[in-house]
Amino acid sequence: MGETAMEYVLAAIDASAYATSVCGYAGWAARRLSLPVELLHIVQRQDPITARKDLSGAIGLGVKSDLMEELVRLSEEGSRTEIEKGRILLAAGEQLLREAGITDVSTLHRHGGVIETILDREAHARVVVMGKRGVGHEYASDHIGSTIERVVRASAKPVLVASREFSEPKHIVFAYDASPAAERALEQLANSPLFEGLPVTIVMAEAEGDTKREQLKKAETAFASDHPVTAVMEPGKAEKVIPGVVASTDRALLLMGAYGHSPIRRMIVGSTTTEMVRTVKAPVLMVR
C-alpha cells in the first residue's frame, strides 16, 4: 500500500450539536478526495491519583475520608460513562457517514489530551474536520472553542471547521492577502479535487492600488481558463468585508490561510483568522 492510500479524512466528534455537521463535511470531503474517513472521539481521562488530589483540593478533605473515596469512585464511574457515550457517538457517526455513501469508515476511541491526540492522528490525514464549538459551548455564539484555535495553530494539515448545520458547499469564497499562507491555500484551491468544478470568489480586503490589483490578477491566473472565478477587492476591514461576501453567497465555504508563524503576523493575521471563524455562519477551511 502506497503512502497516498494510507491517507484519510480525520473527523473529530464529541457530544456537541456540531457532531452531525462534522460527519456531513467529513463525508463531503471524503467523496471529493476519494478517501476513507477516520472518526475520532477522545475522552480526557484523569489518573486516580490526580483525580484524588483535585477533589481533595477542591473541598479540603483528607485523602482517607469516606466522602473522598466516594467522590473518587463517582469520578471513575463518570469516566466509564464517558467511554460508553463515546462508543455510542462513534456508532451514530459511522452510520451517518455510511448513509451518505462513505463505505470506508473506521472509528477510533482514544483517552488523552484532545490537542495531542488530534495532532498524533493527523499524520496521515489529508484534512482534519472539527466542530466550531465543543460540548457545553455549542450555543455560545460569541466565541469559538479554544480547542479549535489551538489545533489550527499547531496542525500542519488543513482544518475544516464545521458550521452548526451541514450544507454541501457549492461555492468557494477565498480570503486572499498574498501572504505565504494564502499562496499555499491558493495552490490547493486551484489544484485539489476537493474544489473541482466549484465556482470561486477571491476576496481581497483592506486593499487598494495597483500593487494589490496586480496580486489579485495574478491569483486569478492560478486557475484553469474554464474555471469560474470572480475577484473582489475592497478597502474595508477584512472582519466586515469577508463575512459580508460569505453571507451573500449561497452555500459558501470560506477558505483562508491561517495563523502565520512570526509573532507580528500571529498578532495581525491570527486575530483576523479567529474573527472569521467566529463571525461567519459557513464552514471555514484553514490552511497553514
Side-chain angles (χ1 to χ4, degrees):
M1 181 179 293
E3 184 177 349
T4 301
M6 294 174 62
E7 290 187 313
Y8 47 75
V9 173
L10 177 62
I13 60 172
D14 61 11
S16 74
Y18 287 83
T20 300
S21 179
V22 169
C23 292
Y25 287 108
W28 171 76
R31 284 192 299 273
R32 285 191 156 260
L33 296 170
S34 300
L35 290 176
V37 174
E38 180 174 285
L39 201 55
L40 173 66
H41 179 265
I42 304 164
V43 170
Q44 298 187 73
R45 183 174 60 182
Q46 281 187 306
D47 66 77
I49 295 175
T50 302
R52 187 185 296 267
K53 287 181 177 177
D54 286 350
L55 292 168
S56 177
I59 63 176
L61 293 176
V63 295
K64 293 183 180 180
S65 77
D66 293 340
L67 182 54
M68 174 57 64
E69 295 302 325
E70 179 65 8
L71 286 174
V72 171
R73 185 186 64 78
L74 291 173
S75 178
E76 292 171 349
E77 287 184 359
S79 295
R80 286 193 289 271
T81 301
E82 290 302 313
I83 292 169
E84 187 56 32
K85 284 166 60 178
R87 290 189 178 124
I88 293 171
L89 283 169
L90 288 172
E94 180 178 2
Q95 182 177 348
L96 283 175
L97 285 162
R98 293 193 183 282
E99 289 174 353
I102 310 301
T103 57
D104 196 346
V105 183
S106 60
T107 62
L108 186 65
H109 188 87
R110 281 284 186 270
H111 296 225
V114 174
I115 312 299
E116 295 78 6
T117 304
I118 290 175
L119 295 181
D120 177 62
R121 296 306 305 171
E122 74 163 23
H124 296 292
R126 186 84 64 86
V127 60
V128 178
V129 187
M130 301 177 64
K132 183 185 289 189
R133 302 178 184 92
V135 63
H137 302 284
E138 59 262 53
Y139 300 105
S141 60
D142 60 342
H143 77 280
I144 63 172
S146 60
T147 300
I148 282 290
E149 186 167 343
R150 292 169 62 196
V151 168
V152 173
R153 287 185 183 278
S155 175
K157 300 300 176 71
V159 178
L160 174 55
V161 180
S163 50
R164 187 164 177 181
E165 303 290 340
F166 171 70
S167 179
E168 182 170 342
K170 296 295 185 183
H171 196 120
I172 306 300
V173 175
F174 177 38
Y176 179 71
D177 63 359
S179 67
E183 296 296 347
R184 288 190 290 274
L186 174 63
E187 193 278 333
Q188 294 198 25
L189 177 58
N191 299 295
S192 172
L194 185 63
F195 310 108
E196 187 174 353
L198 295 177
V200 173
T201 298
I202 306 174
V203 184
M204 202 171 199
E206 301 181 38
E208 52 189 343
D210 292 341
T211 299
K212 296 296 183 183
R213 268 189 286 274
E214 289 174 6
Q215 290 175 335
L216 191 55
K217 187 174 181 180
K218 183 180 178 183
E220 290 183 79
T221 64
F223 297 88
S225 57
D226 60 345
H227 198 119
V229 179
T230 57
V232 176
M233 191 170 83
E234 292 283 349
K237 289 291 185 183
E239 292 86 344
K240 290 189 177 296
V241 171
I242 295 169
V245 174
V246 171
S248 64
T249 304
D250 185 40
R251 303 174 78 170
L253 179 149
L254 174 61
L255 172 69
M256 59 190 303
Y259 301 119
H261 293 276
S262 74
I264 293 176
R265 185 156 180 77
R266 276 200 296 271
M267 181 178 67
I268 298 172
V269 182
S271 61
T272 302
T273 305
T274 300
E275 184 66 12
M276 288 302 107
V277 177
R278 187 187 69 82
T279 305
V280 302
K281 306 299 183 186
V284 182
L285 179 60
M286 291 174 284
V287 176
R288 288 289 302 270

PDB file of all heavy atoms in Angstrom, residues 216-246:
ATOM      1  N   LEU A 216      -3.998  40.427  -7.111  1.00  0.00           N
ATOM      2  CA  LEU A 216      -5.292  39.772  -7.287  1.00  0.00           C
ATOM      3  C   LEU A 216      -5.405  39.164  -8.684  1.00  0.00           C
ATOM      4  O   LEU A 216      -5.887  38.031  -8.849  1.00  0.00           O
ATOM      5  CB  LEU A 216      -6.409  40.790  -7.055  1.00  0.00           C
ATOM      6  CG  LEU A 216      -7.830  40.268  -6.943  1.00  0.00           C
ATOM      7  CD1 LEU A 216      -7.939  39.203  -5.860  1.00  0.00           C
ATOM      8  CD2 LEU A 216      -8.793  41.414  -6.662  1.00  0.00           C
ATOM      9  N   LYS A 217      -4.939  39.909  -9.677  1.00  0.00           N
ATOM     10  CA  LYS A 217      -4.988  39.407 -11.059  1.00  0.00           C
ATOM     11  C   LYS A 217      -4.113  38.171 -11.209  1.00  0.00           C
ATOM     12  O   LYS A 217      -4.488  37.205 -11.884  1.00  0.00           O
ATOM     13  CB  LYS A 217      -4.519  40.497 -12.024  1.00  0.00           C
ATOM     14  CG  LYS A 217      -4.703  40.136 -13.488  1.00  0.00           C
ATOM     15  CD  LYS A 217      -4.365  41.313 -14.390  1.00  0.00           C
ATOM     16  CE  LYS A 217      -4.587  40.943 -15.868  1.00  0.00           C
ATOM     17  NZ  LYS A 217      -4.265  42.083 -16.750  1.00  0.00           N
ATOM     18  N   LYS A 218      -2.961  38.187 -10.558  1.00  0.00           N
ATOM     19  CA  LYS A 218      -2.072  37.020 -10.612  1.00  0.00           C
ATOM     20  C   LYS A 218      -2.732  35.807  -9.967  1.00  0.00           C
ATOM     21  O   LYS A 218      -2.593  34.673 -10.443  1.00  0.00           O
ATOM     22  CB  LYS A 218      -0.750  37.338  -9.905  1.00  0.00           C
ATOM     23  CG  LYS A 218       0.269  36.207  -9.982  1.00  0.00           C
ATOM     24  CD  LYS A 218       1.557  36.581  -9.268  1.00  0.00           C
ATOM     25  CE  LYS A 218       2.553  35.422  -9.315  1.00  0.00           C
ATOM     26  NZ  LYS A 218       3.798  35.748  -8.559  1.00  0.00           N
ATOM     27  N   ALA A 219      -3.435  36.026  -8.853  1.00  0.00           N
ATOM     28  CA  ALA A 219      -4.129  34.913  -8.191  1.00  0.00           C
ATOM     29  C   ALA A 219      -5.162  34.287  -9.122  1.00  0.00           C
ATOM     30  O   ALA A 219      -5.322  33.058  -9.146  1.00  0.00           O
ATOM     31  CB  ALA A 219      -4.799  35.403  -6.910  1.00  0.00           C
ATOM     32  N   GLU A 220      -5.837  35.104  -9.907  1.00  0.00           N
ATOM     33  CA  GLU A 220      -6.846  34.582 -10.843  1.00  0.00           C
ATOM     34  C   GLU A 220      -6.223  33.667 -11.888  1.00  0.00           C
ATOM     35  O   GLU A 220      -6.858  32.710 -12.352  1.00  0.00           O
ATOM     36  CB  GLU A 220      -7.561  35.730 -11.543  1.00  0.00           C
ATOM     37  CG  GLU A 220      -8.480  36.538 -10.647  1.00  0.00           C
ATOM     38  CD  GLU A 220      -9.217  37.612 -11.424  1.00  0.00           C
ATOM     39  OE1 GLU A 220     -10.201  37.263 -12.094  1.00  0.00           O
ATOM     40  OE2 GLU A 220      -8.787  38.782 -11.373  1.00  0.00           O
ATOM     41  N   THR A 221      -4.971  33.955 -12.262  1.00  0.00           N
ATOM     42  CA  THR A 221      -4.328  33.155 -13.306  1.00  0.00           C
ATOM     43  C   THR A 221      -3.913  31.768 -12.814  1.00  0.00           C
ATOM     44  O   THR A 221      -3.473  30.944 -13.606  1.00  0.00           O
ATOM     45  CB  THR A 221      -3.080  33.877 -13.854  1.00  0.00           C
ATOM     46  OG1 THR A 221      -2.110  34.002 -12.793  1.00  0.00           O
ATOM     47  CG2 THR A 221      -3.435  35.261 -14.366  1.00  0.00           C
ATOM     48  N   ALA A 222      -4.043  31.504 -11.507  1.00  0.00           N
ATOM     49  CA  ALA A 222      -3.680  30.180 -10.977  1.00  0.00           C
ATOM     50  C   ALA A 222      -4.679  29.109 -11.404  1.00  0.00           C
ATOM     51  O   ALA A 222      -4.381  27.914 -11.321  1.00  0.00           O
ATOM     52  CB  ALA A 222      -3.596  30.227  -9.451  1.00  0.00           C
ATOM     53  N   PHE A 223      -5.861  29.530 -11.866  1.00  0.00           N
ATOM     54  CA  PHE A 223      -6.920  28.579 -12.199  1.00  0.00           C
ATOM     55  C   PHE A 223      -6.930  28.277 -13.698  1.00  0.00           C
ATOM     56  O   PHE A 223      -6.467  29.078 -14.517  1.00  0.00           O
ATOM     57  CB  PHE A 223      -8.281  29.150 -11.781  1.00  0.00           C
ATOM     58  CG  PHE A 223      -8.402  29.369 -10.299  1.00  0.00           C
ATOM     59  CD1 PHE A 223      -7.984  30.569  -9.727  1.00  0.00           C
ATOM     60  CD2 PHE A 223      -8.906  28.381  -9.464  1.00  0.00           C
ATOM     61  CE1 PHE A 223      -8.070  30.781  -8.359  1.00  0.00           C
ATOM     62  CE2 PHE A 223      -9.001  28.585  -8.101  1.00  0.00           C
ATOM     63  CZ  PHE A 223      -8.580  29.781  -7.545  1.00  0.00           C
ATOM     64  N   ALA A 224      -7.474  27.119 -14.012  1.00  0.00           N
ATOM     65  CA  ALA A 224      -7.660  26.776 -15.423  1.00  0.00           C
ATOM     66  C   ALA A 224      -8.592  27.797 -16.076  1.00  0.00           C
ATOM     67  O   ALA A 224      -9.439  28.404 -15.414  1.00  0.00           O
ATOM     68  CB  ALA A 224      -8.237  25.370 -15.537  1.00  0.00           C
ATOM     69  N   SER A 225      -8.428  27.960 -17.377  1.00  0.00           N
ATOM     70  CA  SER A 225      -9.149  29.027 -18.085  1.00  0.00           C
ATOM     71  C   SER A 225     -10.663  28.838 -18.026  1.00  0.00           C
ATOM     72  O   SER A 225     -11.418  29.812 -18.101  1.00  0.00           O
ATOM     73  CB  SER A 225      -8.689  29.091 -19.539  1.00  0.00           C
ATOM     74  OG  SER A 225      -8.888  27.828 -20.176  1.00  0.00           O
ATOM     75  N   ASP A 226     -11.123  27.591 -17.875  1.00  0.00           N
ATOM     76  CA  ASP A 226     -12.567  27.353 -17.853  1.00  0.00           C
ATOM     77  C   ASP A 226     -13.140  27.301 -16.430  1.00  0.00           C
ATOM     78  O   ASP A 226     -14.321  26.999 -16.247  1.00  0.00           O
ATOM     79  CB  ASP A 226     -12.896  26.055 -18.594  1.00  0.00           C
ATOM     80  CG  ASP A 226     -12.209  24.840 -17.970  1.00  0.00           C
ATOM     81  OD1 ASP A 226     -11.277  25.024 -17.156  1.00  0.00           O
ATOM     82  OD2 ASP A 226     -12.605  23.707 -18.295  1.00  0.00           O
ATOM     83  N   HIS A 227     -12.290  27.563 -15.431  1.00  0.00           N
ATOM     84  CA  HIS A 227     -12.788  27.538 -14.045  1.00  0.00           C
ATOM     85  C   HIS A 227     -13.485  28.869 -13.744  1.00  0.00           C
ATOM     86  O   HIS A 227     -12.890  29.936 -13.941  1.00  0.00           O
ATOM     87  CB  HIS A 227     -11.628  27.328 -13.071  1.00  0.00           C
ATOM     88  CG  HIS A 227     -12.079  26.861 -11.717  1.00  0.00           C
ATOM     89  ND1 HIS A 227     -11.685  25.654 -11.173  1.00  0.00           N
ATOM     90  CD2 HIS A 227     -12.913  27.418 -10.800  1.00  0.00           C
ATOM     91  CE1 HIS A 227     -12.260  25.500  -9.992  1.00  0.00           C
ATOM     92  NE2 HIS A 227     -13.008  26.561  -9.754  1.00  0.00           N
ATOM     93  N   PRO A 228     -14.709  28.830 -13.260  1.00  0.00           N
ATOM     94  CA  PRO A 228     -15.423  30.083 -12.972  1.00  0.00           C
ATOM     95  C   PRO A 228     -14.834  30.806 -11.761  1.00  0.00           C
ATOM     96  O   PRO A 228     -14.941  30.320 -10.623  1.00  0.00           O
ATOM     97  CB  PRO A 228     -16.859  29.624 -12.709  1.00  0.00           C
ATOM     98  CG  PRO A 228     -16.741  28.184 -12.313  1.00  0.00           C
ATOM     99  CD  PRO A 228     -15.550  27.641 -13.020  1.00  0.00           C
ATOM    100  N   VAL A 229     -14.196  31.937 -11.998  1.00  0.00           N
ATOM    101  CA  VAL A 229     -13.534  32.706 -10.935  1.00  0.00           C
ATOM    102  C   VAL A 229     -13.913  34.175 -11.053  1.00  0.00           C
ATOM    103  O   VAL A 229     -13.868  34.759 -12.143  1.00  0.00           O
ATOM    104  CB  VAL A 229     -11.997  32.579 -11.027  1.00  0.00           C
ATOM    105  CG1 VAL A 229     -11.329  33.402  -9.918  1.00  0.00           C
ATOM    106  CG2 VAL A 229     -11.560  31.128 -10.927  1.00  0.00           C
ATOM    107  N   THR A 230     -14.306  34.754  -9.951  1.00  0.00           N
ATOM    108  CA  THR A 230     -14.520  36.201  -9.890  1.00  0.00           C
ATOM    109  C   THR A 230     -13.637  36.769  -8.787  1.00  0.00           C
ATOM    110  O   THR A 230     -13.238  36.043  -7.866  1.00  0.00           O
ATOM    111  CB  THR A 230     -15.990  36.550  -9.605  1.00  0.00           C
ATOM    112  OG1 THR A 230     -16.378  35.914  -8.376  1.00  0.00           O
ATOM    113  CG2 THR A 230     -16.900  36.087 -10.716  1.00  0.00           C
ATOM    114  N   ALA A 231     -13.326  38.037  -8.870  1.00  0.00           N
ATOM    115  CA  ALA A 231     -12.438  38.658  -7.900  1.00  0.00           C
ATOM    116  C   ALA A 231     -13.070  39.931  -7.348  1.00  0.00           C
ATOM    117  O   ALA A 231     -13.711  40.688  -8.080  1.00  0.00           O
ATOM    118  CB  ALA A 231     -11.093  38.976  -8.544  1.00  0.00           C
ATOM    119  N   VAL A 232     -12.881  40.146  -6.064  1.00  0.00           N
ATOM    120  CA  VAL A 232     -13.428  41.317  -5.383  1.00  0.00           C
ATOM    121  C   VAL A 232     -12.305  41.968  -4.587  1.00  0.00           C
ATOM    122  O   VAL A 232     -11.622  41.291  -3.808  1.00  0.00           O
ATOM    123  CB  VAL A 232     -14.577  40.933  -4.425  1.00  0.00           C
ATOM    124  CG1 VAL A 232     -15.057  42.154  -3.651  1.00  0.00           C
ATOM    125  CG2 VAL A 232     -15.713  40.278  -5.192  1.00  0.00           C
ATOM    126  N   MET A 233     -12.108  43.269  -4.768  1.00  0.00           N
ATOM    127  CA  MET A 233     -11.130  43.998  -3.961  1.00  0.00           C
ATOM    128  C   MET A 233     -11.844  45.140  -3.248  1.00  0.00           C
ATOM    129  O   MET A 233     -12.517  45.953  -3.877  1.00  0.00           O
ATOM    130  CB  MET A 233      -9.988  44.545  -4.829  1.00  0.00           C
ATOM    131  CG  MET A 233      -8.820  45.088  -4.006  1.00  0.00           C
ATOM    132  SD  MET A 233      -7.355  45.455  -5.009  1.00  0.00           S
ATOM    133  CE  MET A 233      -7.782  47.080  -5.616  1.00  0.00           C
ATOM    134  N   GLU A 234     -11.688  45.178  -1.919  1.00  0.00           N
ATOM    135  CA  GLU A 234     -12.383  46.178  -1.119  1.00  0.00           C
ATOM    136  C   GLU A 234     -11.409  46.807  -0.125  1.00  0.00           C
ATOM    137  O   GLU A 234     -10.567  46.104   0.452  1.00  0.00           O
ATOM    138  CB  GLU A 234     -13.527  45.535  -0.334  1.00  0.00           C
ATOM    139  CG  GLU A 234     -14.675  45.026  -1.188  1.00  0.00           C
ATOM    140  CD  GLU A 234     -15.579  46.153  -1.663  1.00  0.00           C
ATOM    141  OE1 GLU A 234     -15.424  47.283  -1.147  1.00  0.00           O
ATOM    142  OE2 GLU A 234     -16.414  45.900  -2.541  1.00  0.00           O
ATOM    143  N   PRO A 235     -11.496  48.112   0.097  1.00  0.00           N
ATOM    144  CA  PRO A 235     -10.602  48.753   1.077  1.00  0.00           C
ATOM    145  C   PRO A 235     -11.036  48.549   2.528  1.00  0.00           C
ATOM    146  O   PRO A 235     -10.276  48.838   3.451  1.00  0.00           O
ATOM    147  CB  PRO A 235     -10.684  50.236   0.692  1.00  0.00           C
ATOM    148  CG  PRO A 235     -12.039  50.377   0.083  1.00  0.00           C
ATOM    149  CD  PRO A 235     -12.335  49.080  -0.610  1.00  0.00           C
ATOM    150  N   GLY A 236     -12.238  48.042   2.735  1.00  0.00           N
ATOM    151  CA  GLY A 236     -12.768  47.908   4.095  1.00  0.00           C
ATOM    152  C   GLY A 236     -12.060  46.832   4.902  1.00  0.00           C
ATOM    153  O   GLY A 236     -11.308  46.018   4.371  1.00  0.00           O
ATOM    154  N   LYS A 237     -12.309  46.845   6.207  1.00  0.00           N
ATOM    155  CA  LYS A 237     -11.699  45.881   7.111  1.00  0.00           C
ATOM    156  C   LYS A 237     -12.104  44.446   6.753  1.00  0.00           C
ATOM    157  O   LYS A 237     -13.268  44.178   6.442  1.00  0.00           O
ATOM    158  CB  LYS A 237     -12.126  46.178   8.555  1.00  0.00           C
ATOM    159  CG  LYS A 237     -11.502  47.434   9.131  1.00  0.00           C
ATOM    160  CD  LYS A 237     -10.010  47.259   9.350  1.00  0.00           C
ATOM    161  CE  LYS A 237      -9.388  48.450  10.026  1.00  0.00           C
ATOM    162  NZ  LYS A 237      -7.910  48.299  10.186  1.00  0.00           N
ATOM    163  N   ALA A 238     -11.139  43.547   6.840  1.00  0.00           N
ATOM    164  CA  ALA A 238     -11.393  42.143   6.496  1.00  0.00           C
ATOM    165  C   ALA A 238     -12.520  41.562   7.332  1.00  0.00           C
ATOM    166  O   ALA A 238     -13.331  40.767   6.840  1.00  0.00           O
ATOM    167  CB  ALA A 238     -10.117  41.330   6.687  1.00  0.00           C
ATOM    168  N   GLU A 239     -12.588  41.984   8.614  1.00  0.00           N
ATOM    169  CA  GLU A 239     -13.597  41.429   9.517  1.00  0.00           C
ATOM    170  C   GLU A 239     -15.016  41.763   9.087  1.00  0.00           C
ATOM    171  O   GLU A 239     -15.969  41.115   9.528  1.00  0.00           O
ATOM    172  CB  GLU A 239     -13.362  41.932  10.944  1.00  0.00           C
ATOM    173  CG  GLU A 239     -12.095  41.401  11.598  1.00  0.00           C
ATOM    174  CD  GLU A 239     -10.866  42.243  11.272  1.00  0.00           C
ATOM    175  OE1 GLU A 239     -10.938  43.048  10.320  1.00  0.00           O
ATOM    176  OE2 GLU A 239      -9.831  42.095  11.945  1.00  0.00           O
ATOM    177  N   LYS A 240     -15.167  42.774   8.231  1.00  0.00           N
ATOM    178  CA  LYS A 240     -16.506  43.136   7.747  1.00  0.00           C
ATOM    179  C   LYS A 240     -16.701  42.691   6.300  1.00  0.00           C
ATOM    180  O   LYS A 240     -17.770  42.192   5.937  1.00  0.00           O
ATOM    181  CB  LYS A 240     -16.708  44.654   7.857  1.00  0.00           C
ATOM    182  CG  LYS A 240     -16.815  45.150   9.291  1.00  0.00           C
ATOM    183  CD  LYS A 240     -17.224  46.595   9.346  1.00  0.00           C
ATOM    184  CE  LYS A 240     -17.391  47.057  10.795  1.00  0.00           C
ATOM    185  NZ  LYS A 240     -18.496  46.334  11.479  1.00  0.00           N
ATOM    186  N   VAL A 241     -15.678  42.890   5.466  1.00  0.00           N
ATOM    187  CA  VAL A 241     -15.820  42.597   4.041  1.00  0.00           C
ATOM    188  C   VAL A 241     -16.033  41.108   3.796  1.00  0.00           C
ATOM    189  O   VAL A 241     -16.966  40.700   3.083  1.00  0.00           O
ATOM    190  CB  VAL A 241     -14.570  43.082   3.274  1.00  0.00           C
ATOM    191  CG1 VAL A 241     -14.613  42.588   1.818  1.00  0.00           C
ATOM    192  CG2 VAL A 241     -14.486  44.604   3.313  1.00  0.00           C
ATOM    193  N   ILE A 242     -15.175  40.278   4.378  1.00  0.00           N
ATOM    194  CA  ILE A 242     -15.223  38.836   4.069  1.00  0.00           C
ATOM    195  C   ILE A 242     -16.520  38.179   4.567  1.00  0.00           C
ATOM    196  O   ILE A 242     -17.179  37.462   3.799  1.00  0.00           O
ATOM    197  CB  ILE A 242     -13.977  38.133   4.633  1.00  0.00           C
ATOM    198  CG1 ILE A 242     -12.723  38.660   3.897  1.00  0.00           C
ATOM    199  CG2 ILE A 242     -14.088  36.622   4.466  1.00  0.00           C
ATOM    200  CD1 ILE A 242     -11.420  38.250   4.520  1.00  0.00           C
ATOM    201  N   PRO A 243     -16.929  38.418   5.824  1.00  0.00           N
ATOM    202  CA  PRO A 243     -18.225  37.826   6.222  1.00  0.00           C
ATOM    203  C   PRO A 243     -19.378  38.315   5.362  1.00  0.00           C
ATOM    204  O   PRO A 243     -20.336  37.563   5.123  1.00  0.00           O
ATOM    205  CB  PRO A 243     -18.377  38.294   7.680  1.00  0.00           C
ATOM    206  CG  PRO A 243     -16.977  38.505   8.153  1.00  0.00           C
ATOM    207  CD  PRO A 243     -16.252  39.054   6.960  1.00  0.00           C
ATOM    208  N   GLY A 244     -19.291  39.565   4.867  1.00  0.00           N
ATOM    209  CA  GLY A 244     -20.349  40.084   4.009  1.00  0.00           C
ATOM    210  C   GLY A 244     -20.440  39.315   2.697  1.00  0.00           C
ATOM    211  O   GLY A 244     -21.544  38.984   2.234  1.00  0.00           O
ATOM    212  N   VAL A 245     -19.290  39.027   2.092  1.00  0.00           N
ATOM    213  CA  VAL A 245     -19.279  38.258   0.842  1.00  0.00           C
ATOM    214  C   VAL A 245     -19.776  36.836   1.097  1.00  0.00           C
ATOM    215  O   VAL A 245     -20.556  36.281   0.312  1.00  0.00           O
ATOM    216  CB  VAL A 245     -17.863  38.238   0.231  1.00  0.00           C
ATOM    217  CG1 VAL A 245     -17.826  37.322  -0.992  1.00  0.00           C
ATOM    218  CG2 VAL A 245     -17.422  39.648  -0.148  1.00  0.00           C
ATOM    219  N   VAL A 246     -19.345  36.243   2.200  1.00  0.00           N
ATOM    220  CA  VAL A 246     -19.791  34.874   2.523  1.00  0.00           C
ATOM    221  C   VAL A 246     -21.310  34.840   2.717  1.00  0.00           C
ATOM    222  O   VAL A 246     -21.992  33.953   2.187  1.00  0.00           O
ATOM    223  CB  VAL A 246     -19.084  34.360   3.796  1.00  0.00           C
ATOM    224  CG1 VAL A 246     -19.695  33.032   4.261  1.00  0.00           C
ATOM    225  CG2 VAL A 246     -17.589  34.188   3.541  1.00  0.00           C
TER     226      VAL A 246
END
